[in-house]
């Protein structure tokens, strides 16, 4: 008998920390993963895929700490990915031990192209492995998810056989991934229906879907899957992930929320039912999106559905006129439903520490005493420059403070001269990981270029700046500017983020932030690209040096 009635709500499985983290430069350290996991719990996701425990000691630690600190009673289920290999399953089970509710997610490819070129195994062999490894995972815990990688390019009859065997071996969730983002909505819906009609024991498991957005169809594919019986959706915040990314959590959740009267019927509910289809607290969506973007350095495009800067802006005169007369003329959802406040002016220069802490708490930020002290200094500094401090300013300050990039090099000073008749020249002072203070200077094509060159003279690790972006947090000339950069070193991408009213200072801080991530990675790999990473002639400025 099906233990999960079809009128139940949709389960949201978040894979931001596993599949999402796989996009270039989105690498997160353990502390950053924990921050995101805590926010995902506040958002109300049912399952957090915290990583792939066997992949590296860092991944193991991340899964283990998320299991311990977020997988508490009443909290989400914590999950680790594992190939259908004993060692992977054992690592997942071990890392997940501290979680109150834990899940092993094991997978194997089933398409002929993967079998022939990647696994070099026959269909019969894969069938046997799937059954054996699900049973093995089951020996560690009851909650076991099984995925058939590249399911949408797998011959359906064979897929049905694999799913039947995995379900018989005890899989509680059966996941159908569109690994290469190849399927289309009608086709995907038909595949889910085919599974329901042709896998005799499918009712023993929940049908889940996992999608990639290569053709821009990931959300549409999921909606068709829901109509045909899928009850778990695997997605990532801001749609980050491999190549074109994973199905965007905020988009699929808001589609189900805004159009619930339409989807209610497919879940066996009366059309007019107001009962939410998911457990997501939609008012946490915007904050979660900002946190993931800041920590991964993956910017959200302005026209991105739901969380893009323009998603609730009305530019055309006709639209503005309509919205002023009645919001519903051009708005299908309320900005507040995703947690966008009215950007009220909340604090000013006379506001005290208590008011500051209280407002941050109301915005969902729990800062340590040390973080709060540093954030309060920034707030006072900002309040001196800017009369009115809004929630968005506070959020930028708090996000900047909770960043967990290692502070190996610290920017002590940055000074720039520039202008239409001056050669842009920057002087910087940095404190090295050993505590030494180094000064250097450089000229550049513009002030940011000069700053970057001066910093590069001190932190001597070759890299290529591949993305530089400045965004203002609020409107107005005195707004905080947020700088996000991505740089490449040896085929790997590192990101940096900083916020300041002075965009040159923010640029310098973002660069040091990214260099610290790069420097930490080099130290972890124990392959520093120069003796110490510090240029030896950077101690005293001898005059401004031209860069080669
Ligand atoms: O895209 C994919 O197939 C995956 C599986 C591991 C579920 O990420
Ligand atoms: Zn995937």
């Amino acid at each position: 008998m099906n233990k999960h009635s079809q009128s139940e709500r949709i389960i949201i499985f978040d894979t931001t920390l596993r599949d999402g983290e796989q996009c270039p430069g989105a690498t997160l350290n353990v502390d950053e993963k924990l921050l995101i996991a805590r926010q995902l719990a506040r958002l109300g996701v049912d399952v957090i895929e915290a990583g792939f425990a066997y992949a590296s000691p860092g991944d193991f630690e991340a899964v283990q700490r998320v299991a311990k600190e977020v997988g508490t009673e009443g909290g989400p289920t914590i999950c680790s990915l594992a190939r259908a290999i004993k060692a992977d399953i054992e690592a997942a089970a071990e890392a997940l031990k501290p979680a109150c509710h834990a899940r092993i997610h094991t997978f194997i490819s089933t398409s002929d192209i993967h079998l022939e070129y990647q696994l070099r195994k026959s269909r019969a062999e894969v069938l046997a492995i799937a059954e054996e490894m699900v049973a093995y995972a089951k020996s560690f815990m009851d909650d076991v998810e099984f995925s058939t990688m590249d399911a949408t390019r797998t011959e359906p009859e064979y897929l049905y056989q694999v799913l039947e065997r995995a379900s018989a071996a005890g899989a509680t969730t059966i996941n159908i991934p569109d690994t290469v983002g190849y399927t289309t909505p009608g086709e995907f819906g038909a595949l889910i229906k085919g599974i329901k009609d042709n896998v005799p024991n499918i009712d023993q498991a929940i049908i889940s879907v996992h999608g990639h957005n290569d053709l821009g169809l990931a959300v549409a594919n999921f909606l068709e899957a829901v109509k045909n019986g899928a009850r778990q959706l695997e997605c990532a915040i801001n749609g980050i992930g491999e190549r074109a990314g994973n199905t965007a959590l905020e988009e699929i959740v808001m589609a189900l929320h805004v159009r619930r009267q339409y989807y209610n019927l497919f879940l066996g509910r009366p059309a007019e039912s107001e009962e939410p289809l998911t457990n997501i607290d939609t008012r946490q969506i915007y904050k979660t999106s900002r946190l993931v973007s800041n920590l991964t350095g993956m910017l959200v495009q302005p026209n991105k559905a739901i969380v893009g800067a323009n998603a609730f802006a009305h530019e055309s005169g006709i639209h503005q006129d309509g919205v002023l007369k009645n919001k519903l003329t051009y708005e299908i959802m309320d900005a507040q439903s995703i947690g966008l406040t009215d950007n009220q002016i909340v604090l000013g220069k006379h506001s005290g520490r208590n008011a500051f802490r209280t407002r941050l708490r109301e915005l969902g930020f729990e800062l340590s005493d040390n973080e709060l002290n540093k954030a309060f200094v920034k707030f006072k500094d900002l309040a001196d420059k800017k009369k009115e401090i809004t929630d968005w300013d506070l959020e930028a300050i708090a996000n900047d403070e909770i960043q967990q990039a290692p502070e190996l090099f610290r920017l002590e000073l940055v000074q720039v001269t520039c202008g239409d008749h001056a050669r842009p020249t920057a002087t910087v002072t940095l404190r090295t990981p050993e505590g030494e203070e180094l000064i250097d200077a450089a000229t550049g094509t513009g002030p940011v270029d000069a700053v970057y060159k001066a910093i590069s003279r001190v932190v001597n690790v070759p890299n290529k700046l591949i993305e530089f972006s400045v965004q203002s947090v609020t409107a107005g000339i005195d707004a905080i500017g947020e700088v996000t950069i991505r740089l490449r070193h040896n085929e790997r991408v590192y990101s940096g983020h900083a916020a300041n009213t002075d965009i040159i200072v923010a640029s310098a801080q973002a660069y040091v932030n990214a260099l610290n991530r790069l420097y930490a990675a080099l130290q972890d790999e124990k392959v520093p690209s120069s003796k110490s990473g510090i240029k030896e002639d950077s101690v005293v400025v001898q005059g401004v040096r031209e860069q080669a």
Side-chain angles (χ1 to χ4, degrees):
M1 202 194 69
N2 182 5
K3 48 183 178 165
H4 313 281
S5 124
Q6 292 303 286
S7 68
E8 264 185 22
R9 63 180 174 79
I10 304 282
I11 297 165
I12 298 294
F13 175 110
D14 181 275
T15 188
T16 309
L17 299 177
R18 198 275 299 169
D19 221 357
E21 204 226 4
Q22 284 187 8
C23 52
T27 317
L28 298 160
N29 62 37
V30 175
D31 291 322
E32 290 167 334
K33 286 188 180 176
L34 264 173
L35 282 175
I36 293 178
R38 287 200 189 100
Q39 179 55 29
L40 289 172
R42 282 192 282 268
L43 178 66
V45 306
D46 301 284
V47 186
I48 296 178
E49 190 166 44
F52 181 179
Y54 186 78
S56 71
D59 258 63
F60 184 93
E61 191 194 342
V63 175
Q64 193 173 46
R65 286 197 49 204
V66 171
K68 182 159 180 246
E69 294 176 39
V70 186
T72 48
E73 196 48 64
T77 296
I78 311 300
C79 169
S80 170
L81 188 69
R83 289 168 298 176
I85 294 176
K86 278 191 172 175
D88 277 40
I89 292 170
E90 285 157 13
E94 183 61 30
L96 289 167
K97 266 187 185 157
C100 287
H101 305 282
R103 172 182 299 184
I104 294 175
H105 174 192
T106 188
F107 72 98
I108 192 160
S109 289
T110 47
S111 65
D112 285 339
I113 186 162
H114 280 215
L115 261 59
E116 184 176 347
Y117 295 100
Q118 203 180 8
L119 294 182
R120 296 184 194 285
K121 292 198 188 307
S122 68
R123 284 185 174 189
E125 282 172 309
V126 166
L127 203 55
I129 294 171
E131 184 171 22
E132 193 192 337
M133 289 302 115
V134 169
Y136 190 57
K138 202 74 186 170
S139 70
F140 292 97
M141 60 191 69
D142 184 53
D143 192 346
V144 172
E145 173 168 334
F146 172 70
S147 286
T148 46
M149 195 182 234
D150 206 16
T152 51
R153 293 192 302 169
T154 301
E155 200 239 318
E157 292 303 323
Y158 176 60
L159 185 67
Y160 303 151
Q161 282 176 40
V162 180
L163 297 180
E164 186 179 349
R165 296 274 280 269
S167 189
T172 39
T173 302
I174 290 289
N175 184 39
I176 312 300
D178 182 28
T179 305
V180 290
Y182 177 72
T183 198
T184 60
E187 191 181 53
F188 201 45
L191 179 65
I192 303 303
K193 183 172 182 328
I195 290 168
K196 279 187 77 75
D197 292 347
N198 292 289
V199 179
N201 55 2
I202 196 65
D203 280 354
Q204 288 168 13
I206 289 175
I207 301 179
S208 165
V209 286
H210 176 105
H212 285 268
N213 205 26
D214 298 65
L215 296 175
L217 295 172
V219 170
N221 290 337
F222 272 25
L223 291 172
E224 280 303 302
V226 167
K227 283 165 68 175
N228 286 281
R231 292 295 175 261
Q232 174 179 284
L233 307 178
E234 301 200 353
C235 31
I237 301 294
N238 299 337
I240 65 169
E242 195 83 271
R243 309 181 309 278
N246 285 70
T247 310
L249 182 146
E250 62 282 359
E251 292 180 18
I252 187 72
V253 165
M254 287 312 283
L256 290 170
H257 180 69
V258 171
R259 300 305 312 277
R260 57 189 177 277
Q261 298 204 332
Y262 177 71
Y263 289 100
N264 273 339
L265 298 172
F266 298 97
L267 277 97
R269 304 170 177 205
E272 63 285 2
S273 168
E274 284 296 325
E275 199 192 326
L277 290 175
T278 71
N279 200 31
I280 296 293
D281 176 357
T282 62
R283 288 159 311 166
Q284 293 287 336
I285 284 181
Y286 183 68
K287 180 163 187 280
T288 316
S289 159
R290 294 268 299 153
L291 182 70
V292 170
S293 172
N294 286 344
L295 293 180
T296 58
M298 297 289 294
L299 289 175
V300 172
Q301 78 203 52
N303 59 328
K304 162 95 173 56
I306 316 296
V307 289
N310 297 348
F312 291 91
H314 297 278
E315 198 62 30
S316 118
I318 296 176
H319 287 208
Q320 285 174 353
D321 178 59
V323 168
L324 286 174
K325 288 175 177 149
N326 180 341
K327 273 187 162 197
L328 296 179
T329 50
Y330 288 96
E331 270 187 17
I332 57 162
M333 60 193 147
D334 187 343
Q336 289 183 359
S337 66
I338 63 150
L340 264 166
T341 64
D342 282 338
N343 192 23
Q344 312 147 23
I345 295 152
V346 284
L347 298 176
K349 75 191 233 182
H350 299 299
S351 308
R353 222 184 141 71
N354 251 341
F356 178 67
R357 186 206 302 261
T358 306
R359 188 61 198 151
L360 283 184
R361 280 211 179 120
E362 282 164 7
L363 291 173
F365 290 98
E366 272 304 334
L367 270 57
S368 68
D369 285 349
N370 189 30
E371 287 167 345
L372 189 79
N373 289 343
K374 291 205 267 169
F376 190 61
V377 171
K378 284 189 188 162
F379 160 69
K380 280 289 179 188
D381 192 37
L382 182 65
D384 274 341
K385 295 181 185 147
K386 194 172 183 273
K387 266 206 333 256
E388 297 159 341
I389 308 283
T390 66
D391 279 341
W392 294 0
D393 294 314
L394 292 182
E395 193 208 31
I397 293 177
N399 266 333
D400 212 36
E401 211 39 68
I402 58 178
Q403 276 201 70
Q404 304 290 327
E407 210 181 44
L408 297 167
F409 289 90
R410 206 168 70 218
L411 184 71
E412 302 275 342
L413 173 139
V414 53
Q415 222 168 24
V416 174
T417 47
C418 61
D420 59 354
H421 286 88
R423 173 174 283 210
T425 308
T427 307
V428 297
T429 305
L430 281 117
R431 194 172 289 283
T432 69
E434 292 74 32
E436 208 180 342
E437 217 174 63
L438 298 178
I439 305 172
D440 217 320
T443 60
T445 51
V448 174
D449 187 43
V451 167
Y452 278 32
K453 282 179 172 155
I455 293 173
S456 299
R457 289 185 63 87
V458 179
V459 186
N460 185 28
V461 181
N463 68 80
K464 189 169 165 34
L465 188 66
I466 53 170
E467 198 175 304
F468 172 83
S469 127
V470 188
Q471 285 180 324
S472 80
V473 170
T474 51
I477 200 76
D478 55 358
I480 291 185
E482 285 188 319
V483 175
T484 305
I485 70 154
R486 285 146 71 75
L487 51 87
R488 182 177 286 130
H489 169 90
N490 283 351
E491 304 307 316
R492 283 185 67 183
V493 178
Y494 301 84
S495 67
H497 176 92
N500 199 294
T501 45
D502 183 325
I503 56 166
I504 304 295
V505 176
S507 305
Q509 286 167 339
Y511 189 42
V512 172
N513 187 242
L515 285 173
N516 276 334
R517 288 175 197 270
L518 161 54
Y519 199 71
L522 290 178
Q523 285 188 327
D524 282 352
E525 290 161 18
K526 299 208 176 14
V527 284
S529 59
S530 74
K531 196 166 58 137
S532 63
I534 300 163
K535 194 153 182 172
E536 273 140 28
D537 65 348
S538 289
V539 182
V540 185
V541 189
Q542 303 287 346
V544 177
R545 285 163 286 203
E546 288 284 344
Q547 296 291 295

